Amino acid sequence: MRFRGMVASPHFTTALCWFFALALVEGSINATNVSIGLVVPLHGASGERLGLQFSQYLASGLMAVHHINERIDTLVPRAKQLLPPEFHLTAEIKDSFWSPSTSVGHAIEWNAGGKDAIVGSYRSAVSGPLALAAAVAETPVIAWGSTSSALSDKDVYSVLSRTVPSDAVLAVNMLKIIQSFGWVELGVMAVNDAYGSAFLEEILLAAPSFGINVTSHQKFLPVNADEIKRAVDTTKSAGVRIIVCIMFESDVLPMLEAAQDAGILGDGFVWLLANSFDPHYAADNSANRTLALSQMNGWFQFDLNALIGSKGDHFQATLLSEPLAHLSHPLYDVAAEVLGSAMCG
């Protein structure tokens, strides 16, 4: 079974992000019972519960499954038009535990069980190995939150599609905004995994074309206070006041502590971040929520997926202007091209 189309959405929401990829098999739906696997990070590698947004991702995904089976067009437009009356979708849920090896185990199990497709995961460092394992059975993997540009290599990730643009698009838009303020010196700190490393490379590649000098760029291991402190201290030594930081929710509190100690928070400093964590959830897990939120003053998060107003209309209209059978595989190419056009054009 091959997913060849994309279901467009009137609102680019998390729920539809999961199921943009449900659609055509060789130009038409010819299966009646489709079984997919959903890989969601609900717990961390040590068993700790992750942020509320991950439970919301799961809930919205299950709601989309329900809307598909009930032919409700609210979440999945054209469900009635695309799907035959006897079509039914079932979904099996697995927790990734934020772990590549755990997710690979799920893929191996599902390879034997004959899943038609796998939807997941969130973290690029998980979706990549997951896709490699699924490729053994040629099972399509549709990632809904993995943005690393490294995953664009179809010679390596042959069965991986995604419904979000790569960090190459986000990096360019962040640099455009930095340039618009007349800032020319920049420091970057990035988590040292598939997501952060690729994001850093995109910034380093694109920055010169905007007349921006990346004075300092540091990597740190995730959830490692010593590594984060080293990266912060080096960034401070470089004398930069505009800081791009690519990290996960579990890195926020040690980053705040290190940056506060180094004196690079607050007045005179601007932090630009990708939308890879929920600041309010991070603050809720701190000893002093009010202090944590105040320390984040001057932090700006960027998210290319939050298309609203005319940008959302443009995204929807562009997708709906083409027959679903003409949309190319991998889905990533369509999403990146259309979304990049909406945001940059």
Side-chain angles (χ1 to χ4, degrees):
M1 184 172 186
R2 284 294 171 270
F3 285 29
R4 296 282 301 279
M6 196 183 274
V7 178
S9 163
H11 306 288
F12 198 73
T13 64
T14 301
L16 289 203
C17 214
W18 283 54
F19 289 94
F20 262 142
L22 178 71
L24 305 181
V25 184
E26 299 303 329
S28 64
I29 294 287
N30 55 18
T32 56
N33 291 292
V34 174
S35 177
I36 64 174
L38 304 182
V39 182
V40 194
L42 299 174
H43 297 84
S46 301
E48 71 279 11
R49 187 77 182 186
L50 295 180
L52 177 62
Q53 73 268 31
F54 295 106
S55 297
Q56 292 172 332
Y57 293 150
L58 175 58
S60 60
L62 293 177
M63 184 179 294
V65 172
H66 172 72
H67 278 220
I68 288 168
N69 287 331
E70 296 298 322
R71 309 298 189 269
I72 302 172
D73 288 343
T74 306
L75 284 185
V76 186
R78 297 203 278 181
K80 293 179 182 178
Q81 173 189 342
L82 285 173
L83 302 173
E86 66 275 16
F87 180 86
H88 185 78
L89 177 68
T90 58
E92 181 179 359
I93 303 162
K94 295 285 190 181
D95 190 343
S96 73
F97 284 92
W98 211 249
S99 166
S101 60
T102 298
S103 299
V104 166
H106 297 332
I108 292 172
E109 176 185 341
W110 283 334
N111 285 347
K115 284 287 183 284
D116 295 302
I118 298 173
V119 178
S121 181
Y122 175 75
R123 186 181 172 200
S124 297
V126 172
S127 295
L130 174 69
L132 293 177
V136 174
E138 296 186 344
T139 304
V141 174
I142 304 149
W144 47 273
S146 302
T147 57
S148 171
S149 56
L151 300 179
S152 300
D153 188 345
K154 293 305 162 186
D155 290 333
V156 177
Y157 303 106
S158 59
V159 299
L160 178 65
S161 302
R162 48 184 167 178
T163 60
V164 289
S166 82
D167 291 322
V169 179
L170 181 55
V172 166
N173 280 275
M174 291 178 77
L175 290 168
K176 282 185 175 182
I177 292 176
I178 292 169
Q179 182 192 49
S180 72
F181 281 101
W183 299 328
V184 295
E185 299 288 336
L186 181 67
V188 183
M189 294 184 287
V191 63
N192 192 4
D193 75 344
Y195 163 61
S197 296
F199 204 120
L200 173 59
E201 290 303 316
E202 294 295 343
I203 291 176
L204 293 175
L205 180 66
S209 64
F210 291 92
I212 296 171
N213 177 38
V214 180
T215 306
S216 171
H217 52 92
Q218 304 296 318
K219 294 182 182 181
F220 57 88
L221 293 175
V223 202
N224 188 311
D226 291 337
E227 286 264 314
I228 290 173
K229 183 179 186 306
R230 175 195 54 76
V232 167
D233 289 344
T234 304
T235 300
K236 177 185 179 180
S237 299
V240 295
R241 292 184 172 274
I242 312 302
I243 300 167
V244 172
C245 188
I246 310 303
M247 60 181 170
F248 293 114
E249 203 162 79
S250 55
D251 304 313
V252 173
L253 295 182
M255 182 63 71
L256 281 174
E257 181 178 354
Q260 182 68 44
D261 291 344
I264 59 172
L265 288 178
D267 292 347
F269 294 91
V270 176
W271 287 61
L272 309 175
L273 307 103
N275 191 25
S276 54
F277 66 92
D278 180 346
H280 291 280
Y281 181 82
D284 288 343
N285 285 278
S286 68
N288 188 328
R289 184 179 189 275
T290 301
L291 174 62
L293 288 175
S294 69
Q295 289 173 328
M296 295 181 200
N297 287 337
W299 283 23
F300 297 91
Q301 281 188 303
F302 291 77
D303 185 359
L304 277 183
N305 301 330
L307 289 178
I308 59 176
S310 61
K311 299 298 185 182
D313 293 341
H314 172 80
F315 184 82
Q316 178 195 3
T318 303
L319 287 179
L320 289 176
S321 65
E322 293 291 332
L324 289 179
H326 294 170
L327 295 179
S328 65
H329 179 84
L331 299 174
Y332 155 77
D333 293 332
V334 177
E337 178 182 352
V338 174
L339 189 54
S341 170
M343 297 301 294
C344 302

